[in-house]
Amino acid sequence: MEEKISVITGASGHIGYALLIKLLEQGEKVRILIRRNEPRFDNLGCEKVFGDVNDKASLNKAFQGAHTVYHLAGVIDINNGDESIVWKVNVDGVKNVVAACEAQGVARLVYASSVDAFTPLPDNALMREVNHFEPDILDGTYAKTKATATNFVFEKCAAGFPAVVVYPGACLGPYDYKVSSVGEMVRMCLRGSMPASLAFGAYNFVDVRDVADGMIAAAKQGKLGEGYILCGEQISTDGFIKAVMHACGKKAPKFKMKKGLVSAAAPVMEIYYKATKKTPLFTRYSIRKLTSNCNFSIEKAKTELGYNPMPVKQSIADMVQWIKENEK
């Protein structure tokens, strides 16, 4: 019997690398589509194809003989930048991936959308899976592109295309090589450069390893044409900063900045992030996200996929430990 091949796009990203490690640990034959080689992929035993989601020839080469494709490649943009790149990668790239899957006879696509695609319900009402999104009323280019691409995938599913969609929350945990916004905050705490906490906001955090487990379960037992929310635990911004500082062995800041002060400083910070090319942390968009509904149900994923995410404090501790060991 021919060995089944799993392909990952976006293997250099936070979730993508965690998924790669999980699949290899389970003895899977894995091929990754990457734009350039990085030392961390050497000696892992995965096959590499160089290209990207807007290079159709590289997609067809990567997907040839594949049973499952995990599509994670995307642009997360919470700072002001070139919106056309976000649309080109997050929407056109998805269309190219689907076309290549069809051309190569891929048995199943697992597409990583985002909880940002959901329209926030009022009064912190519990949000569950839906099969249609409203990109025009969403806040931010990233959310709009994810909603648009997810609608496209569901339309293809209705016509018989074999895909499952997952919606990860904000990710924590090891393998944060590219320094996510959350990872930047953790690193600031490790350096002791977190002079203040926030008196507002909350978000739903999940460990990348749990998302990887959820995606593998979606590939094996998820229902075609269905979506699964892969979130973890909702925690206040202040509670998150306290948990991170505790994991770093440092005292949590006593001063808490109010929303008005942070909102006033955000435009200046956006200029600073762009000028220094640092990972954006507090922008006008991220402040709006921290104050919007992040109450997501994971019951469907628990019931149908056996999804069981770890506590956020455990994920924070593991992330801090990974940063200490890898960035001495």
Side-chain angles (χ1 to χ4, degrees), residues 165-182:
V165 177
V166 297
Y167 310 99
C171 287
L172 297 171
Y175 317 129
D176 187 37
Y177 288 98
K178 288 190 169 181
V179 187
S180 61
S181 296
V182 175

Side-chain angles (χ1 to χ4, degrees), residues 48-119:
K48 303 167 192 170
V49 172
F50 296 98
D52 61 61
V53 294
N54 286 303
D55 176 356
K56 296 177 182 180
S58 69
L59 285 174
N60 280 296
K61 182 180 180 182
F63 296 175
Q64 189 172 16
H67 179 273
T68 304
V69 169
Y70 296 94
H71 179 43
L72 289 132
V75 176
I76 300 173
D77 185 33
I78 63 169
N79 199 9
N80 292 326
D82 186 353
E83 293 186 359
S84 66
I85 294 173
V86 187
W87 282 96
K88 188 171 178 61
V89 174
N90 292 0
V91 178
D92 294 347
V94 169
K95 293 178 179 179
N96 293 336
V97 164
V98 168
C101 284
E102 289 179 318
Q104 299 302 324
V106 171
R108 179 168 295 208
L109 169 69
V110 180
Y111 168 54
S113 180
S114 169
V115 292
D116 286 2
F118 286 78
T119 303

Side-chain angles (χ1 to χ4, degrees), residues 31 47 123 154 179 188 204 220 227 247 271 303 311 319:
R31 184 184 297 151
E47 184 184 348
D123 303 320
F154 279 136
V179 187
M188 284 177 67
N204 200 308
K220 293 179 178 177
I271 296 170
T303 303
M319 187 174 198

Side-chain angles (χ1 to χ4, degrees), residues 174-232:
Y175 317 129
D176 187 37
Y177 288 98
K178 288 190 169 181
V179 187
S180 61
S181 296
V182 175
E184 177 63 20
M185 182 183 286
V186 173
R187 287 167 173 84
M188 284 177 67
C189 291
L190 264 172
R191 294 191 296 264
S193 54
M194 185 61 76
S197 183
L198 300 183
F200 66 94
Y203 210 65
N204 200 308
F205 294 97
V206 63
D207 194 285
V208 283
R209 295 163 294 182
D210 288 322
V211 175
D213 284 337
M215 293 190 74
I216 294 168
K220 293 179 178 177
Q221 63 209 56
K223 295 177 182 176
L224 294 179
E226 293 287 332
Y228 298 91
I229 293 172
L230 301 181
C231 280

Side-chain angles (χ1 to χ4, degrees), residues 228-277:
Y228 298 91
I229 293 172
L230 301 181
C231 280
E233 188 180 336
Q234 187 174 293
I235 183 171
S236 71
T237 315
D238 183 53
F240 178 78
I241 291 172
K242 284 179 177 175
V244 172
M245 294 298 279
H246 177 76
C248 295
K250 300 180 185 296
K251 290 184 178 180
K254 292 181 180 179
F255 177 64
K256 298 178 188 178
M257 293 187 291
K258 293 183 178 179
K259 183 183 176 185
L261 178 61
V262 181
S263 297
V268 178
M269 291 304 296
E270 288 170 18
I271 296 170
Y272 166 75
Y273 295 136
K274 200 164 187 177
T276 60
K277 292 184 168 56

Side-chain angles (χ1 to χ4, degrees), residues 108-176:
R108 179 168 295 208
L109 169 69
V110 180
Y111 168 54
S113 180
S114 169
V115 292
D116 286 2
F118 286 78
T119 303
L121 296 178
D123 303 320
N124 205 42
L126 187 66
M127 292 181 282
R128 302 181 188 276
E129 289 83 355
V130 296
N131 57 11
H132 183 75
F133 295 89
E134 304 291 340
D136 292 343
I137 64 174
L138 291 175
D139 181 20
T141 305
Y142 176 71
K144 291 177 186 293
T145 59
K146 281 298 187 178
T148 301
T150 307
N151 280 341
F152 172 78
V153 172
F154 279 136
E155 287 164 9
K156 294 294 292 186
C157 287
F161 180 71
V164 180
V165 177
V166 297
Y167 310 99
C171 287
L172 297 171
Y175 317 129
D176 187 37

